[in-house]
Amino acid sequence: MYSCQRYPRLVAATLSMLALCQATLSAPKTDITWEGGVTLEAAGVLHGGEEQGPARRALLALGGSADSAALGLGNGGQLHFSGVVIRDRGPVNPAGDLQGASNIAAPDAVRLYELWYDQNLGHGIAAQVGLLDLNSTFVVVEDASNLLNSSFGVIPSISGNVPTPIYPEPAWGASIESTQGRWTSRAGIFQGDPTQRFQSWSGGLLATAETRYQTDNGSYTFGIWRHSDAATPAGHLEGAYLLIQHSLGSPRIRGFVQLGDDVGNEAKVPRYIGAGLDVAGPLAARPRDHLVAGVASASIRDQAAETSWELAYVVRLTRRIKLQPDLQYIVHPSGHRASALLATIRVNLSFN
């Protein structure tokens, strides 16, 4: 899969970031906490598809947080920061799909990923400002986190229509959140073009708001969004989404549903529906493994809908290492291509 000889820059960057982490943790009186990991992935089309040959990917991520008091900024705040090293070899998109069969596929990059400050304002209210990944707090379905298709992160009725500050390009922005009992409401505003993070905000703005109701066994989230500079005749695009996740008869079995819809007729992806299951401990002898399945269907304007069926088994080898074989059958990739069967093997190593 990967080797030190073929990826010397990735290995060097990994060693450098680990050395920095170790030095910081061993320094006296630090108020910095660290987290990170390495994800390695190999994928190939078994049937159909646009490009043959294996796709090989690597993602190194390292980040942390520092208490505001240690920074001389008073109490109740934290500074969060992270960086990534991305390496991608082989076919960029072997299945030719629109939704993105791999949620780590991205052009090669070494970059600061997030840098934001969070302040507790009291009464259940907190505010964040800085370089933010929208999907860290918005449009989140925790029960879909073991699936690889990108649509199980931010839904494609948003990311498939407008520039969205998510992996691999967060953006400068601000958000505010209020938690009152079982209700959590948040609103945020972000740069309209994440690729221009160090230039003017000429790409408009992306605004979003959502509210979540938490139950004993799940949650219900409703959200809206609007992009003020979308490439449409109207000059803007907007939509709404509904996210539901809940246990299904047993705490070990979780299910979720995602619904997304855009207002108007100019969106490339006017509608989206996704659903899935996560079964913890499917084998009595393997209580920390997960069996996961999902379906993600994106309507594409003037084309057939693209539907991805995903099935995976997550093997917890140790506390820090996971192995995941994954199959996706993608019907009508990009709305007009021949259906494809894609196999992926992913290894994740956590430093924590």
Side-chain angles (χ1 to χ4, degrees):
M1 190 184 296
Y2 290 89
S3 68
C4 295
Q5 291 75 21
R6 294 191 65 180
Y7 292 90
R9 293 182 181 178
L10 175 64
V11 173
T14 303
L15 294 175
S16 298
M17 295 178 81
L18 286 173
L20 175 62
C21 180
Q22 181 179 7
T24 304
L25 290 174
S26 61
K29 297 182 180 180
T30 63
D31 289 284
I32 301 176
T33 58
W34 291 89
E35 61 181 8
V38 174
T39 302
L40 304 176
E41 178 178 282
V45 173
L46 303 181
H47 173 75
E50 289 296 296
E51 300 179 82
Q52 301 302 313
R56 304 178 301 276
R57 306 183 179 102
L59 170 65
L60 166 66
L62 182 64
S65 61
D67 187 78
S68 60
L71 300 173
L73 300 175
N75 297 321
Q78 281 194 326
L79 177 68
H80 302 261
F81 50 90
S82 65
V84 295
V85 179
I86 304 169
R87 290 291 179 262
D88 204 318
R89 298 292 181 269
V92 175
N93 185 3
D97 62 314
L98 176 144
Q99 297 182 79
S102 170
N103 54 18
I104 68 167
D108 285 4
V110 179
R111 67 162 59 99
L112 172 69
Y113 189 70
E114 287 190 291
L115 179 63
W116 51 278
Y117 183 76
D118 175 89
Q119 181 64 48
N120 183 352
L121 303 176
H123 305 289
I125 301 174
Q128 303 84 34
V129 61
L131 187 61
L132 297 160
D133 182 332
L134 177 144
N135 198 215
S136 294
T137 49
F138 291 88
V139 206
V140 176
V141 179
E142 293 87 353
D143 292 338
S145 61
N146 282 319
L147 291 161
L148 304 190
N149 194 285
S150 298
S151 290
F152 298 121
V154 168
I155 58 179
S157 57
I158 304 175
S159 60
N161 290 316
V162 299
T164 309
I166 54 175
Y167 176 86
E169 290 280 5
W172 297 103
S175 66
I176 189 166
E177 176 180 295
S178 173
T179 300
Q180 308 295 329
R182 293 180 178 267
W183 292 91
T184 297
S185 299
R186 55 178 63 94
I189 188 167
F190 305 86
Q191 281 177 290
D193 186 353
T195 65
Q196 305 298 319
R197 64 164 69 173
F198 296 116
Q199 299 183 25
S200 65
W201 288 37
S202 57
L205 297 171
L206 174 62
T208 183
E210 69 175 34
T211 187
R212 170 183 283 206
Y213 179 72
Q214 191 75 37
T215 71
D216 292 337
N217 298 308
S219 65
Y220 301 82
T221 303
F222 175 75
I224 57 175
W225 61 271
R226 187 179 193 274
H227 195 289
S228 66
D229 192 43
T232 67
H236 67 270
L237 204 60
E238 55 199 10
Y241 56 89
L242 176 65
L243 313 172
I244 301 171
Q245 49 187 347
H246 209 276
S247 62
L248 301 176
S250 166
R252 295 190 308 106
I253 305 174
R254 306 282 303 180
F256 69 87
V257 175
Q258 307 161 293
L259 301 172
D261 190 81
D262 288 5
V263 177
N265 300 315
E266 299 168 351
K268 181 178 181 180
V269 183
R271 289 172 301 281
Y272 166 78
I273 182 169
L277 290 171
D278 187 316
V279 182
L283 301 176
R286 307 285 309 175
R288 297 196 300 169
D289 292 354
H290 286 257
L291 176 65
V292 292
V295 56
S297 184
S299 297
I300 303 175
R301 184 156 57 103
D302 300 326
Q303 301 281 351
E306 175 186 289
T307 302
S308 176
W309 299 86
E310 181 173 354
L311 179 66
Y313 192 89
V314 183
V315 183
R316 177 72 71 168
L317 298 176
T318 71
R319 185 172 66 87
R320 292 187 172 90
I321 302 175
K322 294 190 299 184
L323 173 67
Q324 179 168 345
D326 186 283
L327 284 174
Q328 292 185 57
Y329 184 68
I330 305 172
V331 182
H332 302 309
S334 293
H336 62 274
R337 295 189 169 101
S339 297
L341 179 63
L342 182 72
T344 304
I345 185 74
R346 176 177 289 189
V347 178
N348 181 266
L349 166 64
S350 171
F351 298 154
N352 303 86

